[in-house]
Amino acid sequence: MRRLPAIPFGSFLFLLTFTLLGADPSGSLSPLYVLQNEVIRSQSKSESSQFKKWIHSKKEFFIDDGKCQLLPDSKFQTVVYYRFTCGNSNQNLVLSFSAKRKNSIAKDKFRILGIHKIGKKKYLEIQTGSEDNTNLSEQVSGSDTEFDLPGKQGKIETSNQTIYKPLENPNLYYFKTITTSPKERKEFTSNLEVFFDFSCPLEFLEKDESFYWDQTIFYVFRITCIRDSVYSLLRVPGSGKEGHLVVSNSIANLPKRGDKFYGKTTLRKMTEKQIYWENFTLYYE
């Protein structure tokens, strides 16, 4: 009886990996389906070595590979969210910044740039070669430059090339998103640590001593990057019996109205009408 040739163990693992992760519902490999599975897998695990290679090499994929598509789903100012049309997942786990569109990418392709943890999710960031998605419904109105953080995010011009820096302070970006997007707000759970940096400092408004029943003094700040709403005010409780304002671990003099500070705090809960913060730390601008 003739014996079949043995399959090397490494090849067996390669075939098994693509059988489990790469095979789409039609039974053949789809590059976008493999990518989708990698993005979903990264939500609970670290990125695979193959995924890291794609990011490092800025691998390009076709927007439509014949079996699966990556379609724009919604737009939030300079950010466009995408969804895959294959598999059972309807989550928007891919995004692009319109300022990062590169003319060198064909209109039917996109390039992988990296992955960011924003809030509780990880998002794959891509560059596209397609035209601006002007037909998408804007979730909120606002300035197109609101998320262009100088020195933190955006493009850096050099003599012979343009380099794009990754998104920093993603929790602040996520907080700004959920304050204006009911859909994203419903997915928020709790305990999001937010740092209000140079791109979104806290502006002092007043000292509030109206809570006489529990003898609590509050210092009221406006979150400068949030439009006037129930989410734009931050009330920081005073420290100790005297209710002093503490900045950079020291008792501070009463600020003037309009003075700006950096701050770190934890978003514990938010509803349609109220927002709850805890664990306040203020810093001088």
Side-chain angles (χ1 to χ4, degrees):
M1 181 176 178
R2 183 180 179 183
R3 298 181 61 184
L4 296 175
I7 300 176
F9 184 68
S11 299
F12 172 75
L13 288 180
F14 178 81
L15 291 173
L16 179 61
T17 299
F18 274 95
T19 300
L20 295 177
L21 291 179
D24 64 15
S26 66
S28 59
L29 295 180
S30 164
L32 290 183
Y33 191 76
V34 176
L35 177 60
Q36 175 188 241
N37 280 322
E38 286 287 350
V39 177
I40 294 173
R41 177 185 177 277
S42 71
Q43 300 301 310
S44 58
K45 301 179 180 178
S46 60
E47 294 79 40
S48 67
S49 58
Q50 180 62 62
F51 200 20
K52 290 178 181 178
K53 288 180 181 178
W54 290 342
I55 294 173
H56 181 72
S57 64
K58 294 182 172 57
K59 181 175 174 59
E60 293 186 5
F61 286 82
F62 283 100
I63 292 176
D64 183 349
D65 64 12
K67 295 183 178 296
C68 186
Q69 292 178 291
L70 184 69
L71 298 178
D73 187 68
S74 59
K75 185 179 181 182
F76 182 80
Q77 298 180 10
T78 63
V79 184
V80 179
Y81 293 92
Y82 296 80
R83 61 179 175 83
F84 293 97
T85 61
C86 47
N88 298 320
S89 175
N90 293 317
Q91 299 182 74
N92 296 335
L93 298 176
V94 180
L95 57 79
S96 71
F97 296 94
S98 59
K100 293 187 178 182
R101 184 164 294 109
K102 294 278 284 186
N103 294 331
S104 60
I105 305 175
K107 291 184 178 181
D108 59 349
K109 289 185 177 182
F110 66 90
R111 176 181 299 159
I112 294 179
L113 290 187
I115 195 161
H116 307 295
K117 186 174 183 181
I118 303 177
K120 302 292 183 179
K121 291 183 180 180
K122 289 183 181 178
Y123 288 83
L124 180 69
E125 183 189 354
I126 63 172
Q127 277 182 336
T128 69
S130 60
E131 296 297 324
D132 205 354
N133 297 285
T134 54
N135 293 328
L136 288 176
S137 59
E138 192 84 36
Q139 290 184 354
V140 296
S141 59
S143 168
D144 282 343
T145 61
E146 183 171 344
F147 293 126
D148 294 338
L149 311 182
K152 292 289 183 179
Q153 171 197 320
K155 61 183 181 180
I156 303 172
E157 300 289 347
T158 63
S159 58
N160 58 0
Q161 61 180 338
T162 299
I163 303 173
Y164 288 90
K165 297 185 70 176
L167 176 72
E168 293 188 9
N169 202 351
N171 282 7
L172 174 60
Y173 164 77
Y174 178 68
F175 168 65
K176 291 160 70 174
T177 303
I178 60 180
T179 59
T180 51
S181 171
K183 179 181 177 182
E184 295 290 333
R185 193 157 55 242
K186 288 179 181 179
E187 296 182 359
F188 171 72
T189 53
S190 62
N191 299 326
L192 177 73
E193 186 177 82
V194 180
F195 178 62
F196 296 101
D197 60 13
F198 74 98
S199 68
C200 184
L202 303 172
E203 181 182 59
F204 179 71
L205 296 181
E206 62 181 354
K207 180 181 179 180
D208 185 358
E209 301 180 69
S210 61
F211 290 83
Y212 58 88
W213 56 86
D214 61 1
Q215 298 181 336
T216 301
I217 295 175
F218 287 94
Y219 297 87
V220 185
F221 294 84
R222 185 176 71 87
I223 302 173
T224 55
C225 60
I226 304 298
R227 289 188 297 278
D228 291 336
S229 70
V230 295
Y231 308 122
S232 60
L233 295 182
L234 182 67
R235 303 174 64 83
V236 179
S239 177
K241 293 182 179 180
E242 301 298 325
H244 293 298
L245 177 67
V246 175
V247 182
S248 296
N249 296 321
S250 300
I251 295 176
N253 295 324
L254 182 66
K256 296 179 181 179
R257 185 181 179 88
D259 285 353
K260 292 183 173 60
F261 299 82
Y262 297 155
K264 182 174 68 174
T265 181
T266 302
L267 176 55
R268 181 169 61 85
K269 179 183 177 182
M270 66 188 308
T271 66
E272 293 297 320
K273 297 182 179 180
Q274 200 166 0
I275 192 165
Y276 301 87
W277 299 95
E278 60 185 11
N279 304 325
F280 303 91
T281 305
L282 294 175
Y283 307 91
Y284 290 106
E285 186 179 29

